[in-house]
Amino acid sequence: MKVLSAAQQYEADKITIAKGAITSADLMEHAATICFQWIHNRLQGNSIPIHVFCGTGNNGGDGLVIGRHLKQHGYNVHVYVINCSNQRTQDFLTNYDRLKEIGVWPEMVTCKSELPELDENVMIIDAIFGLGLSRPPEDVLKEVIQHINATNAYVLSIDVPSGIYAEKSVSDKEAVIKAYHTLTFQSPKLCFLLPENQDYINSWEVINIGLDAEYLYNVETKHHIIGKENVLSLYKYRTKFSHKGDFGHSLIIGGSYGKVGAAVLATKAALKVGSGLVTAYIPKCGYEILQMAIPEAMVEVDLLNEITHFDSKVKATAIGVGVGLGISTKTASGFAQFLKKNKLPLVIDADAINLLAKDKKLLKLIPENSVLTPHPKEFERLVGTCKDDYDRLDKLNALASKYKITIVLKGAYTAISHEGICYFNTTGNPGLATGGSGDVLTGMITGFIAQGYDGFQASVLAVYLHGTTADIAMADEVYETFTAGAILNYLPDAFKELFKKDIPPPNANEVPENQQDTDDTTMHV
């Protein structure tokens, strides 16, 4: 799924209106009606007080439409307009009049003293600001936002939480709605995917409002969401006469005294995703450990407690390097010599990334189509301090493009940068925040590359399945009890989940028949 910029979202609206011979008010009515139906499907006439807070722009117009439908369906609804300026969009005014026509006069809020009393037993619909916000809310607008945040009520934001910017960092953290859930139109917003905004976006859902399909198909975007259909399209099916030689030979180079477990996890992972053969190249101190832990793997050894020579004799089709490697002077020297001789694409993780950061000249020795898998701190060691998450994404794409590699920046929405485009993964949960999780991912990517996937394809497959294991596991575990070894245990279930046909819940995003769209792009996160 493409992540549209604010400008592209507005352009999609404009084209839809022109090609559909409709008005902008018609499009607003359609989009907001779907939001109402989402609410109605869940509340089913519940008498809970609903407070709709509207700005005076188009996002406020959406709120007025939702308030009108709620009132017409007998809900206990109160509508407020934050009366902070004389500027009103035409669509806001149109829906303001429509609301008055059914006998509902929104309450005007011009100062803090006019704010209603709210508590945790109400529902709040936030329709104050949308994508067009360019500066932080002030005065009464900020007071309203702070009043809402203080309630601990269920807050549903329409399109984006008010006060957040679509494509830049928040400048006043006290002037942003902390939404429990956000219904966003047609496309995810980049701001949803970044750690710095986690206080404002608990969960979100994309609703299809029927924007022009041709435009959405052809528009080029810098950011994408990885979905099951994308992953499934990459999967290579096995034939009846397949043999182990068809699925490559993975070489895992890693481990040091006290960190042999990292090599064990990566080696197991390469086997578990289907690499035909796997060899672990480790320090001699780990020989018996690895042979006993993974009888299916072959083992080569270096010095007693660390790797310095990097002189594996196997004919690998993919190499993963760095897990538990250490950064001693001798290891660093050996790694540099290895890079000068090696021609195979690499999967570079952990201490191998730290060694690159210590000597950045080595970056030019990385073969094209290799994969780097840093966490945010490791990434900053490579590129320097990032001023915010948006700056980090820019540096991520720049580094990947410069060296023609794929970079997997690990996090809640792991970002995979390839050829100037960033792909965000949506599987996984905090259970993956555990030692060894990254070692497993490195082994998985290596195992997929060994089988003939390119670095980007292998990264997408591995990251998606890696996250899926944690999602499935939460039926049996909790975040705190999930370990890296459990990722391997749940991998078979993750593969099966990939091939399972999704069945949407009954009445999900139900809209009137004459307003239905055949392109189902609904997404829940």
Side-chain angles (χ1 to χ4, degrees), residues 25 28-29 32-33 52-68 81 89-96 98-99 127-128 158 185:
M28 179 180 288
E29 180 74 22
T33 298
V52 185
F53 288 87
C54 305
T56 55
N58 283 350
N59 195 250
D62 293 326
L64 295 175
V65 175
I66 294 168
R68 169 162 46 87
V81 172
T89 65
Q90 185 55 52
D91 291 340
F92 170 87
L93 292 171
T94 296
N95 284 293
Y96 185 79
R98 288 176 179 173
L99 191 58
I128 304 172
I158 304 303
F185 298 143

Side-chain angles (χ1 to χ4, degrees), residues 16 285 317 362 406 474 478 500 508:
T16 302
C285 65
T317 53
L362 296 177
T406 295
M474 289 311 110
V478 294
K500 187 182 298 183

